[in-house]
Amino acid sequence: MNQFPMKKIKSFGVLSLLITSCLVAQTKTSSKISTSNEVSYINTITASELKTHLSIVASDSMEGRDTGSEGQKKAARYLVEQYKKEGIPFPKGADSYYQKVPAAFMNQDSGENLPDSANIWAFIEGSEKPNEIVVVSAHYDHVGIKNGEVYNGADDDGSGTVSLLEIAQAFQKAKKEGHGPKRSILILHMTGEEHGLYGSSYYSENPLFPIANTVADVNIDMIGRRDEFHKKSNNYVYLIGSDYLSTDLYKICEDVNSKYIHLNLDYKFNDRNDPNRFYYRSDHYNFAKHGIPVVFLFNGVHADYHQATDEVDKIEFDALTKRAQLGFSIAWELANRDARIVVDKDGN
Ligand SMILES: [Zn+2]
């Protein structure tokens, strides 16, 4: 989660054009949830595996994963290793698991002096509509080392990073067993988020698959803790943006949650007038600004947000597991339903 609520908000004139073209392509959609295999794959996302991965990704040896740092590169290698182990390839049309994000791109407006960096991507090709892409994203950078203290970012966004590993593994298992997603899943670990959503901004301007073929982005940033509004129970998640561009997406989130996951979906921060402006503060925004429906899964902020105390031992793995399972279920439905979700709203 980016620290600066008002930073670099650009408006894009392409939005209305995209919506018009999407509306033309509109077809009748079914509200039925797709398949019955889903539950067995949801259950492959476990607290123990999330904990194993997070204990490595958010350890001191990753040096706080600052953009372009040696520590972040080490975290990247760990992620790539996991995909290789699972037999999950990098996307078709790419030549490695890395999308280079040049320093010049990140430093152009900010005057920062960041080195080259990279997004990490992995791909589960769809069986029926491989050219339609569902993105599942989370940023793997954090804020590095300050005054000799390592900022491990276990929640921000170690929690989303390891969720992506588990979500990808679940899709890959389904594919191996002949239940692979109909549409393709693009897993995107973004860089440069904390400095200004740079990795996602770069991807959205240099997409591997056409923006017009990108069905939705399910973005996960901070889902391992609880905030002050949920002291009594961690059985909740904030959903932000799900109804801004697509009524279908909003319904999918509601339906899969009530069918499989049973979290309390909290829309407090979905209010466009909320002063925190969370909608603009993580990577999904760089998809939404191009007219791609997004949903942002988020636990809210807490006393350890952007502090050296955002550590693995404070993560509530029961909550993290259910929220990661929700992210998977939403992506599953987006990828498997008969008709592509429709963009029926203007995002404003
Ligand atoms: Zn952050």
Side-chain angles (χ1 to χ4, degrees), residues 1-4 139 141-143 155-157 193-194 197 219-222 240 276-284 296-298 300-301 305-306:
M1 168 63 62
N2 188 279
Q3 207 167 0
F4 311 103
H139 73 91
D141 66 298
H142 193 51
V143 299
D155 191 27
D156 185 8
D157 186 21
E193 194 271 355
E194 302 287 13
L197 317 187
N219 186 49
I220 302 175
D221 191 355
M222 299 173 61
I240 302 175
N276 294 292
R277 294 176 62 82
F278 291 127
Y279 179 65
Y280 304 95
R281 290 172 56 185
S282 186
D283 293 309
H284 55 275
F296 171 29
L297 281 65
F298 176 50
V301 293
Y305 169 70
H306 278 218

PDB file of all heavy atoms in Angstrom, residues 1-4 139 141-143 155-157 193-194 197 219-222 240 276-284 296-298 300-301 305-306:
ATOM      1  N   MET A   1       0.852  -1.197   0.000  1.00  0.00           N
ATOM      2  CA  MET A   1       0.000   0.000   0.000  1.00  0.00           C
ATOM      3  C   MET A   1       0.875   1.229   0.000  1.00  0.00           C
ATOM      4  O   MET A   1       1.737   1.376   0.849  1.00  0.00           O
ATOM      5  CB  MET A   1      -0.900  -0.049   1.246  1.00  0.00           C
ATOM      6  CG  MET A   1      -1.625   1.236   1.555  1.00  0.00           C
ATOM      7  SD  MET A   1      -2.787   1.760   0.295  1.00  0.00           S
ATOM      8  CE  MET A   1      -3.932   0.391   0.322  1.00  0.00           C
ATOM      9  N   ASN A   2       0.613   2.064  -0.972  1.00  0.00           N
ATOM     10  CA  ASN A   2       1.376   3.291  -1.118  1.00  0.00           C
ATOM     11  C   ASN A   2       0.980   4.293  -0.037  1.00  0.00           C
ATOM     12  O   ASN A   2      -0.168   4.378   0.368  1.00  0.00           O
ATOM     13  CB  ASN A   2       1.103   3.867  -2.509  1.00  0.00           C
ATOM     14  CG  ASN A   2       1.990   5.028  -2.834  1.00  0.00           C
ATOM     15  OD1 ASN A   2       1.723   6.145  -2.416  1.00  0.00           O
ATOM     16  ND2 ASN A   2       3.050   4.779  -3.557  1.00  0.00           N
ATOM     17  N   GLN A   3       1.978   5.057   0.418  1.00  0.00           N
ATOM     18  CA  GLN A   3       1.785   5.939   1.563  1.00  0.00           C
ATOM     19  C   GLN A   3       1.120   7.276   1.223  1.00  0.00           C
ATOM     20  O   GLN A   3       0.659   7.980   2.094  1.00  0.00           O
ATOM     21  CB  GLN A   3       3.169   6.227   2.160  1.00  0.00           C
ATOM     22  CG  GLN A   3       3.155   6.555   3.614  1.00  0.00           C
ATOM     23  CD  GLN A   3       4.558   6.509   4.192  1.00  0.00           C
ATOM     24  OE1 GLN A   3       5.531   6.236   3.495  1.00  0.00           O
ATOM     25  NE2 GLN A   3       4.677   6.773   5.464  1.00  0.00           N
ATOM     26  N   PHE A   4       1.113   7.604  -0.048  1.00  0.00           N
ATOM     27  CA  PHE A   4       0.762   8.976  -0.409  1.00  0.00           C
ATOM     28  C   PHE A   4      -0.588   9.039  -1.117  1.00  0.00           C
ATOM     29  O   PHE A   4      -0.671   8.813  -2.308  1.00  0.00           O
ATOM     30  CB  PHE A   4       1.845   9.569  -1.310  1.00  0.00           C
ATOM     31  CG  PHE A   4       3.221   9.362  -0.740  1.00  0.00           C
ATOM     32  CD1 PHE A   4       4.064   8.385  -1.255  1.00  0.00           C
ATOM     33  CD2 PHE A   4       3.660  10.121   0.329  1.00  0.00           C
ATOM     34  CE1 PHE A   4       5.326   8.180  -0.718  1.00  0.00           C
ATOM     35  CE2 PHE A   4       4.922   9.920   0.875  1.00  0.00           C
ATOM     36  CZ  PHE A   4       5.758   8.946   0.353  1.00  0.00           C
ATOM     37  N   HIS A 139       2.029  -6.438  -4.960  1.00  0.00           N
ATOM     38  CA  HIS A 139       3.398  -5.912  -5.085  1.00  0.00           C
ATOM     39  C   HIS A 139       4.341  -6.644  -4.143  1.00  0.00           C
ATOM     40  O   HIS A 139       3.959  -7.009  -3.025  1.00  0.00           O
ATOM     41  CB  HIS A 139       3.440  -4.393  -4.885  1.00  0.00           C
ATOM     42  CG  HIS A 139       3.244  -3.897  -3.482  1.00  0.00           C
ATOM     43  ND1 HIS A 139       4.295  -3.689  -2.605  1.00  0.00           N
ATOM     44  CD2 HIS A 139       2.143  -3.532  -2.799  1.00  0.00           C
ATOM     45  CE1 HIS A 139       3.831  -3.219  -1.463  1.00  0.00           C
ATOM     46  NE2 HIS A 139       2.530  -3.112  -1.548  1.00  0.00           N
ATOM     47  N   ASP A 141       7.616  -5.458  -3.638  1.00  0.00           N
ATOM     48  CA  ASP A 141       8.576  -4.501  -3.056  1.00  0.00           C
ATOM     49  C   ASP A 141       8.060  -4.008  -1.706  1.00  0.00           C
ATOM     50  O   ASP A 141       6.865  -4.054  -1.420  1.00  0.00           O
ATOM     51  CB  ASP A 141       8.756  -3.292  -3.988  1.00  0.00           C
ATOM     52  CG  ASP A 141       7.474  -2.465  -4.101  1.00  0.00           C
ATOM     53  OD1 ASP A 141       6.454  -3.004  -4.588  1.00  0.00           O
ATOM     54  OD2 ASP A 141       7.468  -1.296  -3.653  1.00  0.00           O
ATOM     55  N   HIS A 142       8.982  -3.526  -0.885  1.00  0.00           N
ATOM     56  CA  HIS A 142       8.588  -2.770   0.311  1.00  0.00           C
ATOM     57  C   HIS A 142       9.579  -1.615   0.478  1.00  0.00           C
ATOM     58  O   HIS A 142      10.180  -1.187  -0.520  1.00  0.00           O
ATOM     59  CB  HIS A 142       8.468  -3.707   1.521  1.00  0.00           C
ATOM     60  CG  HIS A 142       7.772  -3.068   2.690  1.00  0.00           C
ATOM     61  ND1 HIS A 142       6.551  -2.437   2.573  1.00  0.00           N
ATOM     62  CD2 HIS A 142       8.122  -2.954   4.005  1.00  0.00           C
ATOM     63  CE1 HIS A 142       6.192  -1.961   3.766  1.00  0.00           C
ATOM     64  NE2 HIS A 142       7.134  -2.255   4.643  1.00  0.00           N
ATOM     65  N   VAL A 143       9.758  -1.104   1.681  1.00  0.00           N
ATOM     66  CA  VAL A 143      10.464   0.172   1.825  1.00  0.00           C
ATOM     67  C   VAL A 143      11.928   0.042   2.271  1.00  0.00           C
ATOM     68  O   VAL A 143      12.590   1.050   2.540  1.00  0.00           O
ATOM     69  CB  VAL A 143       9.694   1.143   2.756  1.00  0.00           C
ATOM     70  CG1 VAL A 143       8.315   1.433   2.167  1.00  0.00           C
ATOM     71  CG2 VAL A 143       9.565   0.597   4.176  1.00  0.00           C
ATOM     72  N   ASP A 155       2.920  -7.779   6.273  1.00  0.00           N
ATOM     73  CA  ASP A 155       1.559  -7.552   5.775  1.00  0.00           C
ATOM     74  C   ASP A 155       1.613  -6.809   4.437  1.00  0.00           C
ATOM     75  O   ASP A 155       0.879  -7.144   3.503  1.00  0.00           O
ATOM     76  CB  ASP A 155       0.773  -6.750   6.828  1.00  0.00           C
ATOM     77  CG  ASP A 155      -0.714  -6.703   6.522  1.00  0.00           C
ATOM     78  OD1 ASP A 155      -1.219  -7.638   5.868  1.00  0.00           O
ATOM     79  OD2 ASP A 155      -1.387  -5.738   6.947  1.00  0.00           O
ATOM     80  N   ASP A 156       2.479  -5.797   4.361  1.00  0.00           N
ATOM     81  CA  ASP A 156       2.578  -4.880   3.210  1.00  0.00           C
ATOM     82  C   ASP A 156       3.839  -5.171   2.400  1.00  0.00           C
ATOM     83  O   ASP A 156       4.883  -4.594   2.684  1.00  0.00           O
ATOM     84  CB  ASP A 156       2.575  -3.449   3.736  1.00  0.00           C
ATOM     85  CG  ASP A 156       2.555  -2.406   2.630  1.00  0.00           C
ATOM     86  OD1 ASP A 156       2.395  -2.776   1.459  1.00  0.00           O
ATOM     87  OD2 ASP A 156       2.721  -1.216   2.955  1.00  0.00           O
ATOM     88  N   ASP A 157       3.808  -5.909   1.381  1.00  0.00           N
ATOM     89  CA  ASP A 157       2.708  -6.734   0.949  1.00  0.00           C
ATOM     90  C   ASP A 157       3.201  -8.165   0.829  1.00  0.00           C
ATOM     91  O   ASP A 157       2.934  -8.844  -0.148  1.00  0.00           O
ATOM     92  CB  ASP A 157       2.145  -6.203  -0.381  1.00  0.00           C
ATOM     93  CG  ASP A 157       0.881  -6.942  -0.811  1.00  0.00           C
ATOM     94  OD1 ASP A 157       0.231  -7.550   0.032  1.00  0.00           O
ATOM     95  OD2 ASP A 157       0.577  -6.938  -2.011  1.00  0.00           O
ATOM     96  N   GLU A 193       5.888  -0.355  -6.101  1.00  0.00           N
ATOM     97  CA  GLU A 193       4.576   0.133  -5.641  1.00  0.00           C
ATOM     98  C   GLU A 193       4.731   1.213  -4.592  1.00  0.00           C
ATOM     99  O   GLU A 193       4.073   2.254  -4.638  1.00  0.00           O
ATOM    100  CB  GLU A 193       3.759  -1.049  -5.100  1.00  0.00           C
ATOM    101  CG  GLU A 193       2.278  -0.739  -4.898  1.00  0.00           C
ATOM    102  CD  GLU A 193       1.924  -0.179  -3.533  1.00  0.00           C
ATOM    103  OE1 GLU A 193       2.824  -0.104  -2.641  1.00  0.00           O
ATOM    104  OE2 GLU A 193       0.777   0.212  -3.343  1.00  0.00           O
ATOM    105  N   GLU A 194       5.620   0.971  -3.643  1.00  0.00           N
ATOM    106  CA  GLU A 194       5.750   1.909  -2.520  1.00  0.00           C
ATOM    107  C   GLU A 194       6.277   3.273  -2.977  1.00  0.00           C
ATOM    108  O   GLU A 194       6.013   4.295  -2.345  1.00  0.00           O
ATOM    109  CB  GLU A 194       6.675   1.331  -1.434  1.00  0.00           C
ATOM    110  CG  GLU A 194       6.232  -0.021  -0.874  1.00  0.00           C
ATOM    111  CD  GLU A 194       5.013   0.056   0.047  1.00  0.00           C
ATOM    112  OE1 GLU A 194       4.347   1.104   0.078  1.00  0.00           O
ATOM    113  OE2 GLU A 194       4.744  -0.960   0.716  1.00  0.00           O
ATOM    114  N   LEU A 197       3.561   3.219  -7.384  1.00  0.00           N
ATOM    115  CA  LEU A 197       2.827   2.269  -8.239  1.00  0.00           C
ATOM    116  C   LEU A 197       3.517   2.106  -9.596  1.00  0.00           C
ATOM    117  O   LEU A 197       2.856   1.952 -10.623  1.00  0.00           O
ATOM    118  CB  LEU A 197       1.363   2.696  -8.453  1.00  0.00           C
ATOM    119  CG  LEU A 197       0.544   3.216  -7.260  1.00  0.00           C
ATOM    120  CD1 LEU A 197      -0.926   3.417  -7.681  1.00  0.00           C
ATOM    121  CD2 LEU A 197       0.612   2.328  -6.047  1.00  0.00           C
ATOM    122  N   ASN A 219      -6.533  -7.504  -7.236  1.00  0.00           N
ATOM    123  CA  ASN A 219      -5.303  -7.020  -6.601  1.00  0.00           C
ATOM    124  C   ASN A 219      -5.366  -7.227  -5.091  1.00  0.00           C
ATOM    125  O   ASN A 219      -6.374  -6.943  -4.443  1.00  0.00           O
ATOM    126  CB  ASN A 219      -5.099  -5.531  -6.907  1.00  0.00           C
ATOM    127  CG  ASN A 219      -3.763  -5.021  -6.397  1.00  0.00           C
ATOM    128  OD1 ASN A 219      -2.721  -5.632  -6.636  1.00  0.00           O
ATOM    129  ND2 ASN A 219      -3.781  -3.902  -5.678  1.00  0.00           N
ATOM    130  N   ILE A 220      -4.274  -7.743  -4.564  1.00  0.00           N
ATOM    131  CA  ILE A 220      -4.199  -8.072  -3.136  1.00  0.00           C
ATOM    132  C   ILE A 220      -3.060  -7.282  -2.502  1.00  0.00           C
ATOM    133  O   ILE A 220      -1.904  -7.417  -2.907  1.00  0.00           O
ATOM    134  CB  ILE A 220      -3.949  -9.589  -2.959  1.00  0.00           C
ATOM    135  CG1 ILE A 220      -5.063 -10.400  -3.637  1.00  0.00           C
ATOM    136  CG2 ILE A 220      -3.844  -9.932  -1.480  1.00  0.00           C
ATOM    137  CD1 ILE A 220      -4.830 -11.902  -3.613  1.00  0.00           C
ATOM    138  N   ASP A 221      -3.384  -6.430  -1.545  1.00  0.00           N
ATOM    139  CA  ASP A 221      -2.354  -5.624  -0.886  1.00  0.00           C
ATOM    140  C   ASP A 221      -2.743  -5.458   0.591  1.00  0.00           C
ATOM    141  O   ASP A 221      -3.649  -4.692   0.903  1.00  0.00           O
ATOM    142  CB  ASP A 221      -2.243  -4.259  -1.587  1.00  0.00           C
ATOM    143  CG  ASP A 221      -1.024  -3.470  -1.131  1.00  0.00           C
ATOM    144  OD1 ASP A 221      -0.321  -3.922  -0.208  1.00  0.00           O
ATOM    145  OD2 ASP A 221      -0.781  -2.389  -1.711  1.00  0.00           O
ATOM    146  N   MET A 222      -2.050  -6.206   1.459  1.00  0.00           N
ATOM    147  CA  MET A 222      -2.286  -6.192   2.905  1.00  0.00           C
ATOM    148  C   MET A 222      -3.564  -6.955   3.268  1.00  0.00           C
ATOM    149  O   MET A 222      -4.634  -6.365   3.392  1.00  0.00           O
ATOM    150  CB  MET A 222      -2.344  -4.742   3.456  1.00  0.00           C
ATOM    151  CG  MET A 222      -1.046  -3.974   3.231  1.00  0.00           C
ATOM    152  SD  MET A 222      -1.133  -2.219   3.688  1.00  0.00           S
ATOM    153  CE  MET A 222      -1.503  -2.309   5.443  1.00  0.00           C
ATOM    154  N   ILE A 240     -12.672  -3.023  -2.444  1.00  0.00           N
ATOM    155  CA  ILE A 240     -12.678  -1.663  -2.982  1.00  0.00           C
ATOM    156  C   ILE A 240     -12.682  -1.735  -4.499  1.00  0.00           C
ATOM    157  O   ILE A 240     -11.881  -2.473  -5.094  1.00  0.00           O
ATOM    158  CB  ILE A 240     -11.464  -0.862  -2.466  1.00  0.00           C
ATOM    159  CG1 ILE A 240     -11.474  -0.816  -0.931  1.00  0.00           C
ATOM    160  CG2 ILE A 240     -11.451   0.554  -3.061  1.00  0.00           C
ATOM    161  CD1 ILE A 240     -10.269  -0.147  -0.292  1.00  0.00           C
ATOM    162  N   ASN A 276      -9.096   8.568   2.837  1.00  0.00           N
ATOM    163  CA  ASN A 276      -7.887   7.743   2.691  1.00  0.00           C
ATOM    164  C   ASN A 276      -7.537   7.475   1.229  1.00  0.00           C
ATOM    165  O   ASN A 276      -6.392   7.148   0.923  1.00  0.00           O
ATOM    166  CB  ASN A 276      -8.071   6.401   3.407  1.00  0.00           C
ATOM    167  CG  ASN A 276      -8.190   6.553   4.890  1.00  0.00           C
ATOM    168  OD1 ASN A 276      -7.228   6.922   5.551  1.00  0.00           O
ATOM    169  ND2 ASN A 276      -9.379   6.300   5.418  1.00  0.00           N
ATOM    170  N   ARG A 277      -8.525   7.533   0.370  1.00  0.00           N
ATOM    171  CA  ARG A 277      -8.325   7.339  -1.077  1.00  0.00           C
ATOM    172  C   ARG A 277      -7.562   6.038  -1.383  1.00  0.00           C
ATOM    173  O   ARG A 277      -6.689   5.993  -2.244  1.00  0.00           O
ATOM    174  CB  ARG A 277      -7.594   8.551  -1.670  1.00  0.00           C
ATOM    175  CG  ARG A 277      -8.443   9.820  -1.594  1.00  0.00           C
ATOM    176  CD  ARG A 277      -7.701  11.043  -2.092  1.00  0.00           C
ATOM    177  NE  ARG A 277      -7.320  10.965  -3.488  1.00  0.00           N
ATOM    178  CZ  ARG A 277      -8.116  11.233  -4.503  1.00  0.00           C
ATOM    179  NH1 ARG A 277      -9.365  11.572  -4.292  1.00  0.00           N
ATOM    180  NH2 ARG A 277      -7.675  11.158  -5.737  1.00  0.00           N
ATOM    181  N   PHE A 278      -7.910   4.973  -0.689  1.00  0.00           N
ATOM    182  CA  PHE A 278      -7.214   3.697  -0.906  1.00  0.00           C
ATOM    183  C   PHE A 278      -7.335   3.201  -2.343  1.00  0.00           C
ATOM    184  O   PHE A 278      -6.449   2.518  -2.841  1.00  0.00           O
ATOM    185  CB  PHE A 278      -7.747   2.616   0.057  1.00  0.00           C
ATOM    186  CG  PHE A 278      -7.391   2.844   1.493  1.00  0.00           C
ATOM    187  CD1 PHE A 278      -8.372   2.854   2.474  1.00  0.00           C
ATOM    188  CD2 PHE A 278      -6.068   3.045   1.877  1.00  0.00           C
ATOM    189  CE1 PHE A 278      -8.047   3.049   3.811  1.00  0.00           C
ATOM    190  CE2 PHE A 278      -5.734   3.247   3.211  1.00  0.00           C
ATOM    191  CZ  PHE A 278      -6.724   3.247   4.176  1.00  0.00           C
ATOM    192  N   TYR A 279      -8.418   3.539  -2.993  1.00  0.00           N
ATOM    193  CA  TYR A 279      -8.631   3.100  -4.387  1.00  0.00           C
ATOM    194  C   TYR A 279      -7.475   3.531  -5.295  1.00  0.00           C
ATOM    195  O   TYR A 279      -7.162   2.866  -6.272  1.00  0.00           O
ATOM    196  CB  TYR A 279      -9.959   3.683  -4.890  1.00  0.00           C
ATOM    197  CG  TYR A 279     -10.304   3.339  -6.320  1.00  0.00           C
ATOM    198  CD1 TYR A 279     -10.558   2.017  -6.700  1.00  0.00           C
ATOM    199  CD2 TYR A 279     -10.403   4.341  -7.294  1.00  0.00           C
ATOM    200  CE1 TYR A 279     -10.888   1.703  -8.008  1.00  0.00           C
ATOM    201  CE2 TYR A 279     -10.740   4.026  -8.602  1.00  0.00           C
ATOM    202  CZ  TYR A 279     -10.983   2.709  -8.959  1.00  0.00           C
ATOM    203  OH  TYR A 279     -11.311   2.405 -10.250  1.00  0.00           O
ATOM    204  N   TYR A 280      -6.865   4.651  -4.956  1.00  0.00           N
ATOM    205  CA  TYR A 280      -5.786   5.192  -5.796  1.00  0.00           C
ATOM    206  C   TYR A 280      -4.407   4.773  -5.318  1.00  0.00           C
ATOM    207  O   TYR A 280      -3.404   5.203  -5.880  1.00  0.00           O
ATOM    208  CB  TYR A 280      -5.866   6.735  -5.810  1.00  0.00           C
ATOM    209  CG  TYR A 280      -7.203   7.237  -6.272  1.00  0.00           C
ATOM    210  CD1 TYR A 280      -8.198   7.564  -5.355  1.00  0.00           C
ATOM    211  CD2 TYR A 280      -7.494   7.342  -7.639  1.00  0.00           C
ATOM    212  CE1 TYR A 280      -9.452   7.995  -5.773  1.00  0.00           C
ATOM    213  CE2 TYR A 280      -8.740   7.768  -8.063  1.00  0.00           C
ATOM    214  CZ  TYR A 280      -9.711   8.096  -7.130  1.00  0.00           C
ATOM    215  OH  TYR A 280     -10.940   8.515  -7.550  1.00  0.00           O
ATOM    216  N   ARG A 281      -4.353   3.951  -4.270  1.00  0.00           N
ATOM    217  CA  ARG A 281      -3.082   3.744  -3.571  1.00  0.00           C
ATOM    218  C   ARG A 281      -2.503   2.346  -3.694  1.00  0.00           C
ATOM    219  O   ARG A 281      -1.607   1.990  -2.951  1.00  0.00           O
ATOM    220  CB  ARG A 281      -3.244   4.139  -2.098  1.00  0.00           C
ATOM    221  CG  ARG A 281      -3.406   5.635  -1.935  1.00  0.00           C
ATOM    222  CD  ARG A 281      -3.767   6.008  -0.515  1.00  0.00           C
ATOM    223  NE  ARG A 281      -2.801   5.517   0.456  1.00  0.00           N
ATOM    224  CZ  ARG A 281      -2.950   5.636   1.759  1.00  0.00           C
ATOM    225  NH1 ARG A 281      -4.045   6.209   2.252  1.00  0.00           N
ATOM    226  NH2 ARG A 281      -2.032   5.186   2.579  1.00  0.00           N
ATOM    227  N   SER A 282      -3.030   1.553  -4.616  1.00  0.00           N
ATOM    228  CA  SER A 282      -2.338   0.298  -4.884  1.00  0.00           C
ATOM    229  C   SER A 282      -2.485  -0.023  -6.377  1.00  0.00           C
ATOM    230  O   SER A 282      -3.141   0.717  -7.123  1.00  0.00           O
ATOM    231  CB  SER A 282      -2.851  -0.828  -3.991  1.00  0.00           C
ATOM    232  OG  SER A 282      -2.053  -1.992  -4.176  1.00  0.00           O
ATOM    233  N   ASP A 283      -1.891  -1.132  -6.788  1.00  0.00           N
ATOM    234  CA  ASP A 283      -1.644  -1.363  -8.216  1.00  0.00           C
ATOM    235  C   ASP A 283      -2.877  -1.521  -9.099  1.00  0.00           C
ATOM    236  O   ASP A 283      -2.811  -1.264 -10.298  1.00  0.00           O
ATOM    237  CB  ASP A 283      -0.758  -2.604  -8.371  1.00  0.00           C
ATOM    238  CG  ASP A 283       0.631  -2.366  -7.821  1.00  0.00           C
ATOM    239  OD1 ASP A 283       1.244  -1.354  -8.193  1.00  0.00           O
ATOM    240  OD2 ASP A 283       1.110  -3.185  -7.007  1.00  0.00           O
ATOM    241  N   HIS A 284      -3.988  -1.953  -8.518  1.00  0.00           N
ATOM    242  CA  HIS A 284      -5.203  -2.116  -9.333  1.00  0.00           C
ATOM    243  C   HIS A 284      -5.567  -0.823 -10.044  1.00  0.00           C
ATOM    244  O   HIS A 284      -6.147  -0.849 -11.123  1.00  0.00           O
ATOM    245  CB  HIS A 284      -6.370  -2.548  -8.429  1.00  0.00           C
ATOM    246  CG  HIS A 284      -6.574  -1.608  -7.299  1.00  0.00           C
ATOM    247  ND1 HIS A 284      -5.871  -1.706  -6.127  1.00  0.00           N
ATOM    248  CD2 HIS A 284      -7.326  -0.494  -7.201  1.00  0.00           C
ATOM    249  CE1 HIS A 284      -6.206  -0.716  -5.344  1.00  0.00           C
ATOM    250  NE2 HIS A 284      -7.079   0.055  -5.973  1.00  0.00           N
ATOM    251  N   PHE A 296     -10.029  -4.770  -5.246  1.00  0.00           N
ATOM    252  CA  PHE A 296      -8.884  -4.642  -4.351  1.00  0.00           C
ATOM    253  C   PHE A 296      -9.259  -5.274  -3.014  1.00  0.00           C
ATOM    254  O   PHE A 296     -10.225  -4.860  -2.370  1.00  0.00           O
ATOM    255  CB  PHE A 296      -8.558  -3.147  -4.216  1.00  0.00           C
ATOM    256  CG  PHE A 296      -7.529  -2.789  -3.172  1.00  0.00           C
ATOM    257  CD1 PHE A 296      -6.514  -3.656  -2.803  1.00  0.00           C
ATOM    258  CD2 PHE A 296      -7.565  -1.525  -2.578  1.00  0.00           C
ATOM    259  CE1 PHE A 296      -5.571  -3.303  -1.844  1.00  0.00           C
ATOM    260  CE2 PHE A 296      -6.633  -1.156  -1.629  1.00  0.00           C
ATOM    261  CZ  PHE A 296      -5.642  -2.053  -1.253  1.00  0.00           C
ATOM    262  N   LEU A 297      -8.487  -6.297  -2.595  1.00  0.00           N
ATOM    263  CA  LEU A 297      -8.686  -6.964  -1.296  1.00  0.00           C
ATOM    264  C   LEU A 297      -7.682  -6.382  -0.297  1.00  0.00           C
ATOM    265  O   LEU A 297      -6.471  -6.378  -0.556  1.00  0.00           O
ATOM    266  CB  LEU A 297      -8.464  -8.477  -1.411  1.00  0.00           C
ATOM    267  CG  LEU A 297      -9.598  -9.327  -1.989  1.00  0.00           C
ATOM    268  CD1 LEU A 297      -9.877  -9.006  -3.445  1.00  0.00           C
ATOM    269  CD2 LEU A 297      -9.284 -10.817  -1.840  1.00  0.00           C
ATOM    270  N   PHE A 298      -8.176  -5.972   0.876  1.00  0.00           N
ATOM    271  CA  PHE A 298      -7.384  -5.133   1.770  1.00  0.00           C
ATOM    272  C   PHE A 298      -7.886  -5.296   3.206  1.00  0.00           C
ATOM    273  O   PHE A 298      -9.090  -5.413   3.423  1.00  0.00           O
ATOM    274  CB  PHE A 298      -7.575  -3.680   1.289  1.00  0.00           C
ATOM    275  CG  PHE A 298      -6.930  -2.594   2.086  1.00  0.00           C
ATOM    276  CD1 PHE A 298      -5.595  -2.654   2.449  1.00  0.00           C
ATOM    277  CD2 PHE A 298      -7.663  -1.457   2.446  1.00  0.00           C
ATOM    278  CE1 PHE A 298      -4.990  -1.612   3.163  1.00  0.00           C
ATOM    279  CE2 PHE A 298      -7.072  -0.405   3.151  1.00  0.00           C
ATOM    280  CZ  PHE A 298      -5.738  -0.498   3.504  1.00  0.00           C
ATOM    281  N   GLY A 300      -7.149  -2.988   5.649  1.00  0.00           N
ATOM    282  CA  GLY A 300      -7.089  -1.708   6.359  1.00  0.00           C
ATOM    283  C   GLY A 300      -5.710  -1.499   6.958  1.00  0.00           C
ATOM    284  O   GLY A 300      -4.844  -2.369   6.880  1.00  0.00           O
ATOM    285  N   VAL A 301      -5.512  -0.331   7.539  1.00  0.00           N
ATOM    286  CA  VAL A 301      -4.197  -0.028   8.119  1.00  0.00           C
ATOM    287  C   VAL A 301      -4.204  -0.320   9.622  1.00  0.00           C
ATOM    288  O   VAL A 301      -5.248  -0.541  10.218  1.00  0.00           O
ATOM    289  CB  VAL A 301      -3.774   1.438   7.846  1.00  0.00           C
ATOM    290  CG1 VAL A 301      -3.525   1.647   6.366  1.00  0.00           C
ATOM    291  CG2 VAL A 301      -4.791   2.416   8.392  1.00  0.00           C
ATOM    292  N   TYR A 305       1.672  -0.363  10.178  1.00  0.00           N
ATOM    293  CA  TYR A 305       1.725   0.000   8.752  1.00  0.00           C
ATOM    294  C   TYR A 305       2.945   0.900   8.472  1.00  0.00           C
ATOM    295  O   TYR A 305       3.136   1.918   9.132  1.00  0.00           O
ATOM    296  CB  TYR A 305       0.427   0.717   8.361  1.00  0.00           C
ATOM    297  CG  TYR A 305       0.477   1.367   6.995  1.00  0.00           C
ATOM    298  CD1 TYR A 305       0.512   0.592   5.836  1.00  0.00           C
ATOM    299  CD2 TYR A 305       0.499   2.755   6.868  1.00  0.00           C
ATOM    300  CE1 TYR A 305       0.566   1.190   4.583  1.00  0.00           C
ATOM    301  CE2 TYR A 305       0.548   3.359   5.613  1.00  0.00           C
ATOM    302  CZ  TYR A 305       0.585   2.568   4.474  1.00  0.00           C
ATOM    303  OH  TYR A 305       0.653   3.153   3.242  1.00  0.00           O
ATOM    304  N   HIS A 306       3.794   0.471   7.535  1.00  0.00           N
ATOM    305  CA  HIS A 306       5.018   1.190   7.177  1.00  0.00           C
ATOM    306  C   HIS A 306       5.930   1.449   8.376  1.00  0.00           C
ATOM    307  O   HIS A 306       6.590   2.488   8.453  1.00  0.00           O
ATOM    308  CB  HIS A 306       4.700   2.484   6.416  1.00  0.00           C
ATOM    309  CG  HIS A 306       4.445   2.232   4.962  1.00  0.00           C
ATOM    310  ND1 HIS A 306       4.865   3.062   3.957  1.00  0.00           N
ATOM    311  CD2 HIS A 306       3.829   1.208   4.334  1.00  0.00           C
ATOM    312  CE1 HIS A 306       4.494   2.557   2.785  1.00  0.00           C
ATOM    313  NE2 HIS A 306       3.864   1.430   2.987  1.00  0.00           N
TER     314      HIS A 306
END
